[in-house]
Amino acid sequence: MNQAAIFYRATREFILPVSRQDLFIRLTAARSDIRECRVIFWKRNQTDSASVRFSDMKVAYRDAVHDDFRTVISFPEPVHYIKYYFELIDFAGDIRFLSENGLSDEKPADGFFEFLYVNTADVFSVPEWAKGIIYYQIFPDRFYRSQNAPESSRLVHWNSFPEQDNYFGGDLRGIIEKFDYLKELGAECIYLTPIFKAEFNHKYATTDYFTVDPAFGTLTDLQDLVKLAHSNGIKIILDGVFNHVGRSFPQFSDLLDRGKNSSYKEWFYPSDFPLTSNPLNYECVGDYPYMPKLRTAHPDVRNFILSVMIYWIEQTGIDGWRLDVADEMEMSTLQTIRTVLKEKYPDILLLGETWGDAFRLVGNGDQMDSAMNYLFRNAVLDWIAKGKIRATDFDRRINQLLSKYNDLTNSVMYNLIGSHDTARFLSEAGENKNKLKLAAAFQMTFCGSPAVYYGDEIGMSGENDPGCRAGMIWDQESQDRDLFRWYRCFIELRKAHPALRKGTFRSNFCDDEKNIYGFIRQTSDEALFVLMNNSENCSEIILPVPDRDAEYRELFSSMIRRPEPLQDGITFYNQEITEYQGQLSIPIDAYSVQIYKKEK
C-alpha cells in the first residue's frame, strides 16, 4: 500500500455539507492502489456497535497518479457531533486505518476525525436550474444592430474587420430581434458581456454602474429582453466588473482632481500624488492605466458593489452575475457577496472568471457557485484542436480537472472552448470544422455547463482580440448551416437525456494509437456510452465487455451507418473490473461521434 499517497484532512475541500443532513466526503490515494475504501462514522454520544455505520467510497475520478474516492453520508437529522475514520484495503489484501493520528495497522481506539455541526449558512448549494445548463455568450456590440438603432458616425460597416477601438452598433434591441435564432439553437442561458455605461467598445472600464450604456439601449430594453427570455424559459446573467473601473468613474475622477484630499482615496490603490499614468503610480488591472483597481475590501466599496448587484436583480429580474477577474478580488468581499445575495435570492447564480485552477473561488463553497473553466478549454485544445496529446493524456487531464472540485461544483462549471478573450476554436484548430464538431460534441456530452461563444456554431473564426470579436454573420448563405445543425442536434440530445445533463462521468476507453476516447454518462435511470474518434482515419476498435447479454441501441452516430440496433451490445464497465467475458468490435469513422444507450 502506498501510504504516502493517501491524503485526507478535515477541511471543506474533503468534507462539505451539501444539506443540513448530508455530508460530501472525499479522500485521495495512489492510482490503482486501493481496492476498497470506506468511511466509518457515528454520533459521539452513541458508541454502541448498532449505532456505528459505514459508507463505501467509490473511485469517482482517476488521473495519472491519483484515485479520488467519494461518497455522501446522510443522517435523519441535522448533522452534529459526528466521529469518523477510514478503512482502506489494497489489492494485496493489506488493511490500514486512517484517523486524525495518521495511518495505523489496528482499528483506532481514539484520535478520530470529528465534524461538529452543520449550521444553515454552512451548507453549500448551487441553483438547480444551473446544473448542466447550456450557455450562449454574447458580446453585445457585435451581435446585431437593431432595425431602429440610431445612426452614428462612429459605427463601421457590419462586415468590417474588428479592431480594438471600432464600434459595430449591436444593441439590446438587436438581441430581442434575433431571439428566435437563440431559441432555434436551443440556448438555455444568455451571458452578456458588460452592458453598463463604460469606456471602450468592450465596456470593461465602467463609468456608471446604474445606467445601461446608451450605445446598447435603456433600462426598458434590458427589462424587455429579460422578460422575453424568461417567457421562453431562458435565463440571463450579466457581467459585473467590480475589480476595477474606468478612469471616468466619478469616484476616480475625484481622486484625480483632489489627490490626497479626495474622500475616495481609500477606494483605490494610489502610491503617490498627483496620480500619473506614466510613470504609473496607482494600481490597475493588468497594469492598464485606463482601468484603475478598486479596493474591494473597503466597506464602502463592498457596499457599493452589493448595491449595484441588488439594483439590477430587482430592476430586471436577472438570474445571475458573472464577476470579471473574480480571482483578483478580495476573498472576504466575495464571501460577503455570496452571503448577502444568497439570503435574499437563493436561486441567483454567481460565476467567477479565472484562467487557472478555480479552487480559490469554488473549492470551499463560500464564494462562487461556478467558474469559467479555462482548464477544460486547454485540455480540449491540446487534444482535439492542436493534437499535442493523445487520448490517454486527455483522459488523465479531464479526470484531474474533475477531481479538483466537489460534485455540485462540477455540475455547474462553465465549460467553454472560446470566449471574447481567446482566439476562436476554429482558428486554433487550423480551420478544421471536423475538430470543432468534436469539441462541441464533447462539451455537450460532458458534465457541467457547455458554453457556446456567439458565432462558433455557424463557423466563425478569428484570432485573439480583436479577431475573435467580429460582427455576427447573419446571411444564411455565409453561415455554415451544417455546423449549426450539428450544434442544435447535440443540444437537443443533451436536453432529452438527463444522463448528459446531470449524470456521473466515468471514462472507460482510451486508444492512443487510433486516438479514440470513450466515456460513460449515467443516472439511476439511464446510461449512455460516448465514443469519439479524434483522427482522420476510420477505425475498428475492440472493447472488452463483461456481459454479452446486455442490449444497447445506437442513439446517435455522426455517420448513421447502421439502421438496426446493436443486438450484441456494449455493457458499461468501471475502472476496477479486470476480468472480461468477451469482446466487441465497433467500427467508427474519422472525426466521428457515436453514442449508445443501455436498454433495460
Side-chain angles (χ1 to χ4, degrees), residues 122-138:
D122 297 333
V123 174
F124 175 65
S125 63
V126 297
E128 190 66 26
W129 64 261
K131 294 178 181 178
I133 201 166
I134 300 160
Y135 289 96
Y136 190 84
Q137 182 191 352
I138 292 177

Side-chain angles (χ1 to χ4, degrees), residues 427-487:
S427 295
E428 297 275 23
E431 305 298 320
N432 187 329
K433 291 181 180 177
N434 286 322
K435 292 185 176 184
L436 175 56
K437 284 183 173 182
L438 271 189
F442 185 70
Q443 277 186 295
M444 298 301 166
T445 54
F446 188 60
C447 48
S449 299
V452 181
Y453 181 49
Y454 82 95
D456 279 358
E457 75 282 2
I458 53 166
M460 289 180 65
S461 60
E463 299 301 326
N464 201 355
D465 179 22
C468 59
R469 301 179 182 182
M472 176 70 174
I473 297 172
W474 290 110
D475 175 22
Q476 287 208 7
E477 292 186 1
S478 300
Q479 294 180 346
D480 188 326
R481 298 301 294 180
D482 174 66
L483 185 59
F484 179 87
R485 286 187 289 272
W486 176 274
Y487 267 85

Side-chain angles (χ1 to χ4, degrees), residues 414-573:
Y414 183 97
N415 294 331
L416 70 162
I417 60 173
S419 74
H420 63 290
D421 286 326
T422 72
R424 286 187 179 269
F425 189 90
L426 192 54
S427 295
E428 297 275 23
E431 305 298 320
N432 187 329
K433 291 181 180 177
N434 286 322
K435 292 185 176 184
L436 175 56
K437 284 183 173 182
L438 271 189
F442 185 70
Q443 277 186 295
M444 298 301 166
T445 54
F446 188 60
C447 48
S449 299
V452 181
Y453 181 49
Y454 82 95
D456 279 358
E457 75 282 2
I458 53 166
M460 289 180 65
S461 60
E463 299 301 326
N464 201 355
D465 179 22
C468 59
R469 301 179 182 182
M472 176 70 174
I473 297 172
W474 290 110
D475 175 22
Q476 287 208 7
E477 292 186 1
S478 300
Q479 294 180 346
D480 188 326
R481 298 301 294 180
D482 174 66
L483 185 59
F484 179 87
R485 286 187 289 272
W486 176 274
Y487 267 85
R488 189 174 62 188
C489 171
F490 271 93
I491 288 172
E492 290 175 353
L493 198 69
R494 183 178 182 85
K495 290 179 178 180
H497 295 280
L500 294 179
R501 187 181 182 103
K502 297 183 180 180
T504 58
F505 172 90
R506 183 181 290 275
S507 52
N508 74 337
F509 186 81
C510 294
D511 187 322
D512 284 351
E513 181 180 353
K514 297 175 180 177
N515 214 13
I516 296 174
Y517 184 51
F519 56 92
I520 298 160
R521 300 299 312 282
Q522 190 165 5
T523 63
S524 58
D525 298 321
E526 183 180 51
L528 304 180
F529 176 46
V530 183
L531 270 177
M532 306 183 72
N533 181 3
N534 181 26
S535 165
E536 60 186 11
N537 301 313
C538 300
S539 294
E540 191 97 359
I541 62 171
I542 305 298
L543 284 179
V545 288
D547 179 1
R548 296 186 62 86
D549 297 327
E551 181 180 326
Y552 278 66
R553 70 181 177 89
E554 193 168 40
L555 180 68
F556 172 84
S557 176
S558 55
M559 67 286 192
I560 315 296
R561 75 185 309 153
R562 284 184 297 271
E564 298 299 325
L566 218 62
Q567 295 301 321
D568 191 10
I570 307 163
T571 293
F572 298 145
Y573 59 95

Side-chain angles (χ1 to χ4, degrees), residues 301-311 336-337 340-341:
V301 175
R302 184 179 296 171
N303 290 336
F304 175 79
I305 292 171
L306 278 166
S307 70
V308 173
M309 300 179 82
I310 291 170
Y311 173 82
T336 301
I337 287 172
V340 173
L341 291 190

Side-chain angles (χ1 to χ4, degrees), residues 9-153:
R9 63 187 305 179
T11 61
R12 284 172 70 92
E13 180 180 1
F14 292 92
I15 183 165
L16 179 70
V18 291
S19 81
R20 291 204 71 199
Q21 291 80 38
D22 300 287
L23 293 175
F24 164 82
I25 300 179
R26 64 185 290 259
L27 174 149
T28 59
R31 178 184 173 99
S32 302
D33 185 51
I34 301 300
R35 188 186 71 201
E36 297 177 41
C37 176
R38 61 180 55 92
V39 56
I40 294 93
F41 57 96
W42 63 97
K43 286 190 66 173
R44 70 184 185 190
N45 61 348
Q46 298 176 350
T47 56
D48 59 288
S49 58
S51 299
V52 176
R53 300 165 54 196
F54 72 89
S55 178
D56 288 324
M57 302 177 68
K58 301 297 183 183
V59 177
Y61 309 114
R62 169 172 287 166
D63 63 20
V65 294
H66 291 111
D67 281 350
D68 184 333
F69 289 87
R70 301 188 172 202
T71 191
V72 173
I73 58 175
S74 300
F75 300 84
E77 59 186 356
V79 179
H80 59 287
Y81 309 137
I82 303 301
K83 292 194 174 191
Y84 62 101
Y85 65 92
F86 298 91
E87 180 184 53
L88 303 103
I89 306 174
D90 67 13
F91 283 90
D94 293 334
I95 303 175
R96 298 291 186 276
F97 301 92
L98 178 65
S99 68
E100 196 73 84
N101 294 333
L103 285 164
S104 62
D105 296 338
E106 302 295 331
K107 186 181 299 184
D110 54 28
F112 305 113
F113 295 106
E114 286 195 75
F115 192 95
L116 296 179
Y117 217 94
V118 177
N119 297 291
T120 303
D122 297 333
V123 174
F124 175 65
S125 63
V126 297
E128 190 66 26
W129 64 261
K131 294 178 181 178
I133 201 166
I134 300 160
Y135 289 96
Y136 190 84
Q137 182 191 352
I138 292 177
F139 193 86
D141 184 62
R142 308 297 162 83
F143 191 65
Y144 187 67
R145 186 190 303 167
S146 63
Q147 297 300 317
N148 296 320
E151 295 294 328
S152 173
S153 59

Side-chain angles (χ1 to χ4, degrees), residues 61 70 398-405 410 446-447 505:
Y61 309 114
R70 301 188 172 202
I398 287 296
N399 274 270
Q400 182 184 55
L401 176 60
L402 291 169
S403 188
K404 290 179 183 293
Y405 316 120
N410 280 330
F446 188 60
C447 48
F505 172 90

